[in-house]
Amino acid sequence: MQKQSDKAVLGILISIAALVLFDLMGLIIKHLSPRYSAAELSAYRNLFGLLPSLIALWMTASWRQGTRSLRIRQWKLAALRGLSVTFAQLMFYLSLGIMAFATATTISYTTALFTTALAVPILGERVGWVRWLAVAIGFVGVILILRPGSDVFTWALLLPVGASFLYAFSGVTARLIDTEVPTPLFNLHSSAFAAVGSFCLALAVGGFSPIASVEDLAFIVLMGMFGGSAVLCLVVAYRMTEPSNLAPFSYFGIPIAFALGWLFFDEAPVDDLWPGAVLIAMGGLMIVYRERRARRPLQRPETRT
């Protein structure tokens, strides 16, 4: 039992490391946004992020010990998820370039709320009143941050909301994958389609700007590696412990994003985020709590890995 507990703790630490890597990727995107479009940055992120995706697949024992085939039956579903990620990245990267880093990142945490709502039409799940209340609380938090009708509201604030919706769609449809297909293999296909889609989108909206310096090139490579490595960390973490053990810690990303935005860009949007950020986190944690209570009677005494 102690061994399973140690794995859970390590999985949590790895998932927090993933949050830091995602935020570091976001910092680089915000830094590069004045010189490169969001579509360009999305294309570069997907290109250099393929390597960690390949590493995640190679780390999957069932794939290495099997046929090692890269073919999947549900390639159309992978393409749809890749397309949704393409536009989600475009909207989120645009938001990073035009608003405070912590504000864009905090709004993006509505993904858990959208995931609950989308599970009804896509997966046919029954959502009880507790989870609907959690969704409502989270969206009240979003409204408090957006402040529609006020002088501070701009339509650009809806960009991270749209990105969260599409990220949630990608996450929910992942549960439609054939059970025998390793998750990293399906994610590799989705990432490849996202890379193709983002390159096509970048070409359609103006093409690629010349990379201004070796420093910018280094940042671009780091951006892709940070993003891809974050996904790799999440794959490892979810294989070490139950997702319900990791989910509460995902909201550590909000204070991390606030601290990084203050440190690197001298941003401290306390008035903009209070109390909306608290309600978003509260709504997400209510969903996590409800899921854990619902699953507890069905779980075995041992913790699965």
Side-chain angles (χ1 to χ4, degrees):
M1 185 64 68
Q2 182 63 38
K3 184 178 179 181
Q4 299 294 345
S5 176
D6 291 343
K7 279 190 174 183
V9 172
L10 183 57
I12 290 169
L13 292 175
I14 293 174
S15 70
I16 293 175
L19 294 176
V20 176
L21 289 170
F22 275 129
D23 281 341
L24 290 175
M25 179 193 73
L27 288 175
I28 293 176
I29 291 168
K30 188 172 181 63
H31 171 69
L32 295 174
S33 290
R35 298 184 294 282
Y36 307 95
S37 70
E40 290 177 90
L41 295 174
S42 174
Y44 290 138
R45 181 264 178 263
N46 288 318
L47 174 64
F48 292 106
L50 285 174
L51 180 57
S53 297
L54 287 168
I55 295 174
L57 179 60
W58 183 255
M59 292 175 59
T60 305
S62 60
W63 181 80
R64 291 203 319 271
Q65 297 167 4
T67 61
R68 299 189 181 182
S69 173
L70 294 176
R71 298 180 62 182
I72 60 172
R73 182 184 67 85
Q74 297 167 298
W75 65 268
K76 292 182 180 179
L77 179 59
L80 180 62
R81 292 183 70 241
L83 185 63
S84 70
V85 169
T86 296
F87 285 98
Q89 288 176 337
L90 178 66
M91 287 188 281
F92 184 55
Y93 294 3
L94 279 171
S95 70
L96 287 174
I98 58 181
M99 67 180 66
F101 179 74
T103 301
T105 302
T106 298
I107 295 174
S108 73
Y109 278 88
T110 54
T111 297
L113 312 178
F114 282 121
T115 298
T116 299
L118 288 174
V120 176
I122 295 177
L123 302 177
E125 288 190 2
R126 296 180 60 183
V127 176
W129 69 270
V130 174
R131 285 194 287 174
W132 281 125
L133 176 62
V135 170
I137 290 174
F139 276 112
V140 169
V142 174
I143 291 172
L144 289 175
I145 293 176
L146 299 182
R147 302 179 190 178
S150 69
D151 293 337
V152 299
F153 174 78
T154 65
W155 289 106
L157 288 170
L158 296 178
L159 288 170
V161 178
S164 297
F165 176 86
L166 291 174
Y167 280 130
F169 175 82
S170 177
V172 170
T173 52
R175 296 177 61 182
L176 301 175
I177 306 168
D178 293 336
T179 54
E180 66 272 15
V181 177
T183 300
L185 176 59
F186 195 85
N187 281 337
L188 177 62
H189 279 263
S190 297
S191 297
F193 280 113
V196 173
S198 57
F199 267 89
C200 291
L201 185 61
L203 291 172
V205 298
F208 290 86
S209 306
I211 296 178
S213 65
V214 175
E215 179 184 346
D216 280 2
L217 177 60
F219 274 126
I220 287 171
V221 174
L222 279 176
M223 173 188 67
M225 295 301 292
F226 281 152
S229 298
V231 173
L232 175 58
C233 285
L234 287 179
V235 170
V236 173
Y238 277 104
R239 288 182 176 273
M240 297 187 73
T241 186
E242 290 286 342
S244 58
N245 291 333
L246 302 176
F249 294 91
S250 65
Y251 290 94
F252 277 34
I254 293 178
I256 292 173
F258 187 92
L260 291 175
W262 172 74
L263 182 63
F264 288 96
F265 299 106
D266 197 25
E267 298 172 345
V270 177
D271 293 339
D272 294 339
L273 296 180
W274 175 265
V278 175
L279 293 180
I280 290 174
M282 183 184 301
L285 291 173
M286 284 179 63
I287 292 172
V288 171
Y289 175 75
R290 181 66 184 89
E291 287 294 322
R292 296 191 70 170
R293 285 183 58 87
R295 295 177 59 184
R296 188 173 300 162
L298 302 177
Q299 291 179 343
R300 298 178 180 178
E302 313 90 65
T303 303
R304 291 180 296 170
T305 57

